[in-house]
Structures are given as C-alpha cells and as structure tokens.
Amino acid sequence: MTTAFHTIGVFGRVKNPGVRETLKILIHFLHELGHATYVETETAEPLQDPALTTISREEIGHHCDLLIVVGGDGSLLHAAHAIANQTIPVLGINRGSLGFLTDIHPMELQKIKAILNGEYLLEKRFLLTSTVEVDNAIIGQDNALNEVALIPDTVPHMIEFEIFIDNQFVCSQDSDGLIIATPTGSTAYALSGGGPILHPQLDAIVLVPMFPHSLNNRPIVIEGNQRIDLIMSPNNTTSPRLSCDGRAYVNIPAGGRVRIHKKEEKLHLIHPLDYNYYEALRSKLHWGKKLHYLE
C-alpha cells in the first residue's frame, strides 16, 4: 500500500533555461497544493528567490519524504549519489534527452499531484559499491547506480587484468576495459558497448568487455549477489582508471585489486500509475510502433 507525500525536496542541475523554468513552475505548484517544500541549496542559487526554503543535499533525507529531481538521467544519478545511504524515494521530471529514469513530462502536473496523493508505483533499484585496494590498503571507494567502468588512462592503452566472481577465476582479459552494470545501467554505457538490456526487476549484473583483444570475450550476466574482483596485471605499463557513473576516477597501479558488490541500500524510484517500461524502451530507443492489428 502506498502512502501520500507531504514534505517535498526539490533538486536540479540548472544548466539551461528550460530546467530553471520548470523548477519555478514546480515549486509554485507545490506551494499552491500546500506542501512544505525544501529546495536543495545549489539548486536554489540560480533561481534567486529569497522566499525559498533551502536545504543541503545531505539533510534532504532527514527532512523530506520525497525528492523531486528536474533534469535528465544525469541529474537523477547525481541526486542518487547524494542520498545513496538514505531511503527517501525519488521522482524524476524529464528535462534531458533520453530520460529512462526521469519519466514525468514537465507539463504533467496532474500526474505529480496524483503521486503526492499516494497514487504511484514504487520501484527499488540496487546500486553497486566498488572498492580499490593496493597492498591491502583502500585507496578509493564509491557507489554506482548505472555502472562501474574500468577504463584506460588519459592515453588509450590495452589493459591486462583477471576477473574473479565469488573467488572463482573466470578469465584473463586484454581489452580497453570492462563495464560492470546494474539493470538500471544496462540501457546506458553498457548498451553502447554491446551489452544486453536487463529488465530493472532482474537481480542481475552484466559484465561487458570494451573492445577485447579476443572476440571470444563476450558480455556475461551473473546473479546480483555475486562479488566481482578485478586484479590488474603486473604487465600493465600504465595505470587504468575506475569510474562510478562517470565520476570518481581512481587510478589503479599494477597489482591493484577492484572489489565490486551490491550495495545494501537501494534507490526507491517513483513512477506514475501508467508507467510502462516497454513503452519507455520504444520511445527512447526508437523501436518500431505497435502493429495496427494489435490495437
């Protein structure tokens, strides 16, 4: 059973006038409905409205029962990292290009009203936690909603590394890197690398090699609770980098180890009642329309 929302947090990376205008309309709409509204501090600055009640992103989960993100999937990813250890649900208003995660149109205010009244679908998406270790010392750690990616240093160079899953040796690989994606991230970087689309309700992780030296290295889907270890070969002449959702680059020297596993806390994603995942795929990926005889 779903519950209504009363105290709303608002977040957006104001890079264009469209996002700024949508934020103003949304905040006015929430005030008209009588909801207590907190605007994330950096989001509020470009709006230049002294009447706004602002809040730091670290405090949103402690004071709000819903976070509304205005922007594209990148904005929602940014917000997800800020609340990764909190259980506050997130609703996305799409002002980006694709919008697999932000599926509310800016003008669909009545859908937002219905959601605030408790009419919505709640979906839980898991994240990955990656840890980089060198000589048993941790030199970097971060979370990823989409993917953890092993990529070359500033100069493209073949990377040699070994893959272990639950301490079992899988293979040695020479490639430009490796994308390790959640079902959420299977329609992002991993898709462009030739990986499969995973339904978001699957408890699975996909490993997608990036330009492997051997064509026998293919994407593989594993169970979501399995732990992945990547060990960098001593033969590497450069230090590859690890990124989480395209951020937090950490260089990994020869002999370094990357540990990747599912994060315990999940992202609680809100959708309107008419949300259809396959419709999202058709519209975002420009798949063929439904045949007339099926209508």
Side-chain angles (χ1 to χ4, degrees):
M1 181 178 178
T2 57
T3 58
F5 300 114
H6 304 286
T7 306
I8 315 301
V10 177
F11 177 92
R13 291 194 291 176
V14 187
K15 292 184 176 180
N16 60 67
V19 171
R20 190 179 302 121
E21 188 62 29
T22 299
L23 283 167
K24 291 179 179 178
I25 293 172
L26 172 65
I27 293 167
H28 178 73
F29 181 69
L30 294 173
H31 285 158
E32 281 193 329
L33 294 177
H35 290 280
T37 304
Y38 293 85
V39 183
E40 189 268 336
T41 306
E42 292 184 15
T43 303
E45 287 179 2
L47 301 180
Q48 298 181 343
D49 184 351
L52 296 178
T53 301
T54 61
I55 189 172
S56 68
R57 65 186 63 180
E58 293 78 17
E59 292 296 318
I60 286 177
H62 301 295
H63 294 274
C64 304
D65 48 29
L66 175 68
L67 175 62
I68 300 180
V69 178
V70 178
D73 286 350
S75 297
L76 197 140
L77 283 173
H78 197 65
H81 281 274
I83 60 169
N85 296 317
Q86 304 170 26
T87 57
I88 178 174
V90 181
L91 170 67
I93 298 179
N94 185 22
R95 288 305 312 228
S97 53
L98 282 178
F100 278 105
L101 300 173
T102 52
D103 46 35
I104 294 284
H105 189 275
M107 294 296 104
E108 294 178 325
L109 296 184
Q110 290 308 311
K111 283 189 177 182
I112 297 173
K113 182 179 179 180
I115 288 171
L116 297 177
N117 290 333
E119 300 174 22
Y120 57 85
L121 301 173
L122 174 63
E123 189 177 36
K124 296 181 180 180
R125 304 282 186 96
F126 72 81
L127 296 86
L128 297 174
T129 293
S130 66
T131 304
V132 179
E133 299 178 1
V134 177
D135 296 328
N136 295 319
I138 296 176
I139 64 171
Q141 188 174 62
D142 201 10
N143 301 311
L145 176 61
N146 272 355
E147 76 280 315
V148 177
L150 177 69
I151 58 177
D153 201 355
T154 52
V155 178
H157 198 281
M158 195 72 74
I159 305 169
E160 185 177 330
F161 58 97
E162 295 179 339
I163 303 174
F164 289 79
I165 296 176
D166 282 349
N167 293 321
Q168 293 186 343
F169 175 67
V170 177
C171 66
S172 295
Q173 191 170 125
D174 288 309
S175 65
D176 277 10
L178 182 70
I179 303 169
I180 301 161
T182 66
T184 301
S186 70
T187 53
Y189 195 17
L191 184 63
S192 66
I197 295 175
L198 304 182
H199 191 280
Q201 292 182 9
L202 284 175
D203 187 6
I205 299 170
V206 60
L207 284 68
V208 182
M210 299 170 60
F211 302 103
H213 188 268
S214 171
L215 295 180
N216 292 327
N217 290 119
R218 311 306 301 167
I220 180 173
V221 178
I222 65 173
E223 199 272 329
N225 288 313
Q226 293 184 298
R227 192 188 74 188
I228 303 160
D229 287 84
L230 310 178
I231 301 177
M232 301 303 110
S233 168
N235 297 328
N236 288 329
T237 56
T238 61
S239 296
R241 297 183 294 171
L242 194 77
S243 74
C244 293
D245 291 339
R247 62 176 224 156
Y249 294 101
V250 177
N251 284 85
I252 314 168
R257 177 189 294 265
V258 181
R259 297 183 183 272
I260 302 163
H261 61 86
K262 182 194 293 183
K263 183 177 174 62
E264 183 176 348
E265 295 84 2
K266 295 184 178 181
L267 175 69
H268 293 203
L269 197 59
I270 298 293
H271 300 291
L273 289 178
D274 63 354
Y275 171 74
N276 184 314
Y277 176 70
Y278 301 107
E279 169 60 28
L281 289 180
R282 285 195 300 272
S283 62
K284 308 304 180 183
L285 300 179
H286 307 291
W287 286 358
K289 296 181 179 180
K290 185 170 65 173
L291 298 176
H292 292 298
Y293 68 82
L294 294 179
E295 295 179 349

